[in-house]
Amino acid sequence: MPIIGVGATQRAARLFHSLSDPVRLAILLDLLEGERRVTDLVARTGRSQSTVSAHLACLRESGLVTVRPQGRQSFHALASVDIVDLLLAAQHLLAATGETVLLCPVHAGDVP
């Protein structure tokens, strides 16, 4: 039985596309440890404030991240425990496949 129906493949592809950017993935992995402000994520990713904010907007629009305003600050967090489960499943899959994922000829030039 398929997990994702034929009609949902486009939505699933968009979900995985939102996870495919290294900066967005780094942000999500950092949020596994708890809420972060944009300034925290800028320091941790080494990216500009505008870059981090743009990626956070993408993650919020994708429903993966929430924002909680507190005074003049905003705290970002993972939107669901399901995201934690997905990231942990990806970690287990990478551990099981090792470096073979790098052998995919379609994406050979994509991985830094």
Side-chain angles (χ1 to χ4, degrees):
M1 177 170 160
I3 295 173
I4 300 173
V6 173
T9 56
Q10 185 66 28
R11 288 192 314 269
R14 288 181 182 170
L15 168 67
F16 285 107
H17 179 71
S18 66
L19 297 171
S20 70
D21 184 88
V23 176
R24 287 193 295 270
L25 189 54
I27 289 170
L28 290 173
L29 292 172
D30 198 48
L31 292 176
L32 283 171
E33 298 176 15
E35 291 183 319
R36 299 281 189 254
R37 300 170 300 157
V38 171
T39 56
D40 300 327
L41 294 167
V42 165
R44 291 174 177 275
T45 63
R47 305 296 178 156
S48 70
Q49 184 272 330
S50 61
T51 297
V52 170
S53 292
H55 284 295
L56 282 168
C58 174
L59 292 168
R60 281 193 311 274
E61 291 169 7
S62 298
L64 300 175
V65 169
T66 61
V67 62
R68 179 180 61 84
Q70 182 176 341
R72 296 184 73 175
Q73 299 182 35
S74 295
F75 291 86
H76 296 81
L78 296 176
S80 168
V81 69
D82 293 331
I83 299 161
V84 175
D85 294 341
L86 178 63
L87 294 171
L88 291 175
Q91 182 180 14
H92 291 293
L93 183 59
L94 285 170
T97 60
E99 297 295 316
T100 59
V101 72
L102 297 176
L103 298 177
C104 178
V106 175
H107 301 292
D110 292 350
V111 180

